[in-house]
């Protein structure tokens, strides 16, 4: 994992403007914000104005590019930068020691920090965010693409749509009230959790090394799950499904004990595979429309029904 931190800006468009600056930009502008020490807070405006408090701006009125340097020698070191950008902007945000926060996002956002958290509220378009040492939270993202990388911190996403990709090392991944059209989620040394809907046309891949995988899905979910576990079990205690390819040929069933008819028969148990060794099998829920891959090393996999308030 590499971080391209722009701690020294090399793009200078015209004479640097004073801090607390308002500049009107051209259509579809590129905006870069960079600081070594200090927090960055970004808002999305309703017009073409770039509004900056706490940073030194390099831009031309009506131009298509702007750069903002946070380490302004005329201001206290480590102070927060507050920036309002046009919704049509392509935005890059880079910090070494500082948290990043966003109220909404522009058309495209790339945000990176080494030591600091990242928090996003709302947003559309395409987002790529990365933190080496800090937690990441995203709430109510309603865009097309969301990509997250966390090296030493947890990831919590609530109410997101679109294609979701999340990688975490030494941090849990918790995805709540999701409406992802596709998903790739992988964690090392922690749990991966997903609750929400499954698109029948979607592809979902969840992987955990030294951690479990937990899913909460609608009772009428239609998915074909390819399951792989090592030193772990699979269970679906309250959504009926049929398993094929398990070593014991067991059947997955609901809590009522009636189970579902498996291709190899069985006793109506609610789990598949032993609690050790390498297990690979397929579980089908409903018509088996969505394609789901679940891979856990040293962790259990559980599929549960969403609570009535979450359906």
């Amino acid at each position: 994992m590499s971080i391209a931190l722009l701690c020294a800006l090399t793009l200078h468009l015209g004479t640097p403007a004073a801090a607390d600056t308002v500049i009107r930009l051209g259509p579809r502008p590129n905006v870069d914000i960079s600081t070594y020490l200090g927090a960055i807070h970004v808002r999305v405006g309703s017009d073409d104005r770039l509004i900056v408090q706490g940073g030194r701006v390099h831009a031309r009125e009506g131009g298509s590019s702007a750069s903002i340097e946070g380490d302004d020698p005329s201001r206290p070191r480590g102070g927060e930068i507050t920036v309002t950008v046009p919704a049509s902007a392509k935005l890059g945000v880079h910090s070494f020691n500082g948290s990043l926060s966003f109220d909404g996002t522009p058309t495209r956002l790339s945000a990176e920090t080494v030591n600091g958290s990242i928090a996003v509220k709302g947003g559309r378009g395409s987002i790529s965010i990365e933190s080496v040492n800090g937690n990441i939270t995203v709430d109510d993202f309603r865009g097309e693409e969301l990509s997250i990388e966390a090296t030493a911190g947890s990831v919590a996403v609530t109410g997101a749509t679109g294609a979701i990709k999340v990688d975490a090392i030494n941090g849990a991944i918790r995805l709540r009230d999701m409406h992802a059209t596709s998903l790739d989620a992988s964690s090392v040394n922690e749990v991966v959790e997903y609750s929400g809907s499954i698109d029948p046309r979607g592809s979902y891949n969840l992987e955990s090394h030294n951690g479990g995988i937990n899913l909460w899905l609608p009772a009428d979910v239609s998915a074909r799950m390819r399951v792989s576990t090592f030193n772990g079990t699979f269970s679906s205690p309250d959504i009926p499904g049929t398993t094929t390819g398990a070593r014991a040929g067991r059947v997955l069933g609901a809590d009522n004990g009636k189970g579902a008819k498996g291709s190899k028969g069985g006793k109506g148990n609610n789990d598949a595979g032993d609690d050790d060794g390498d297990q690979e099998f397929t579980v089908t829920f409903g018509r088996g429309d969505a394609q789901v891959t679940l891979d856990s090393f040293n962790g259990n996999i559980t599929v549960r029904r969403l609570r009535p308030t979450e359906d």
Side-chain angles (χ1 to χ4, degrees):
M1 183 183 301
S2 64
I3 293 284
L5 293 175
L6 303 179
C7 296
L9 297 174
T10 59
L11 180 62
H12 297 279
L13 303 177
T15 303
D20 302 331
T21 304
V22 178
I23 294 177
R24 292 192 177 275
L25 298 176
R28 297 182 295 278
N30 292 314
V31 179
D32 263 313
I33 307 171
S34 176
T35 185
Y36 182 84
L37 182 65
I40 299 174
H41 180 67
V42 176
R43 304 186 183 100
V44 175
S46 58
D47 54 28
D48 60 356
R49 291 181 301 167
L50 175 69
I51 305 172
V52 181
Q53 295 176 301
R56 176 167 294 194
V57 182
H58 302 268
R60 286 197 185 100
E61 184 82 14
S64 60
S65 297
S67 58
I68 302 160
E69 183 178 0
D71 301 307
D72 185 349
S74 67
R75 289 189 166 268
R77 187 169 176 80
E80 182 179 79
I81 306 169
T82 300
V83 180
T84 301
V85 300
S88 61
K90 179 180 179 182
L91 176 63
V93 182
H94 316 271
S95 176
F96 189 84
N97 281 305
S99 297
L100 311 180
S101 59
F102 301 85
D103 287 333
T105 61
T107 301
R108 291 184 63 86
L109 168 66
S110 174
E112 304 170 339
T113 183
V114 174
N115 293 307
S117 62
I118 299 178
V120 178
K121 294 182 179 179
R124 297 182 181 274
S126 177
I127 296 179
S128 175
I129 52 181
E130 181 177 350
S131 177
V132 174
N133 185 24
N135 298 330
I136 296 176
T137 60
V138 178
D139 294 317
D140 298 322
F141 174 71
R142 294 292 188 267
E144 290 77 44
E145 295 180 353
L146 172 62
S147 177
I148 298 174
E149 292 187 39
T151 301
S154 63
V155 176
V157 181
T158 303
T161 65
I164 312 295
K165 186 177 188 302
V166 183
D167 289 311
I169 301 175
N170 294 324
I173 298 175
R174 293 185 169 87
L175 312 174
R176 297 282 190 257
D177 191 24
M178 301 291 288
H179 301 280
T181 55
S182 66
L183 172 67
D184 283 291
S186 176
S187 178
V188 177
N189 295 327
E190 267 291 358
V191 69
V192 177
E193 297 182 343
Y194 180 94
S195 70
S197 64
I198 293 288
D199 189 327
R201 300 164 296 180
S203 175
Y204 301 80
N205 303 299
L206 293 85
E207 180 178 355
S208 181
H209 192 282
N210 291 329
I213 298 175
N214 300 315
L215 294 92
W216 290 266
L217 304 175
D220 61 351
V221 62
S222 180
R224 183 175 183 268
M225 297 185 178
R226 299 180 62 182
V227 180
S228 177
T229 67
F230 186 85
N231 289 337
T233 62
F234 176 93
S235 64
S236 175
D238 49 15
I239 304 180
T242 302
T243 181
T244 58
R247 178 185 297 175
R250 294 175 177 175
V251 177
L252 305 177
D255 283 337
N256 58 21
K258 295 180 181 179
K261 293 182 179 180
S263 62
K264 296 184 180 181
K267 299 180 180 180
N269 294 333
N270 296 330
D271 57 18
D274 300 328
D275 60 1
D276 58 6
D278 189 5
Q279 302 289 323
E280 293 186 5
F281 47 91
T282 300
V283 184
T284 302
F285 297 102
R287 297 182 305 273
D289 292 321
Q291 301 300 304
V292 181
T293 301
L294 307 175
D295 191 346
S296 177
F297 184 91
N298 286 335
N300 298 329
I301 300 175
T302 304
V303 177
R304 300 296 303 259
R305 182 184 182 278
L306 277 168
R307 293 187 294 272
T309 56
E310 297 177 305
D311 277 351

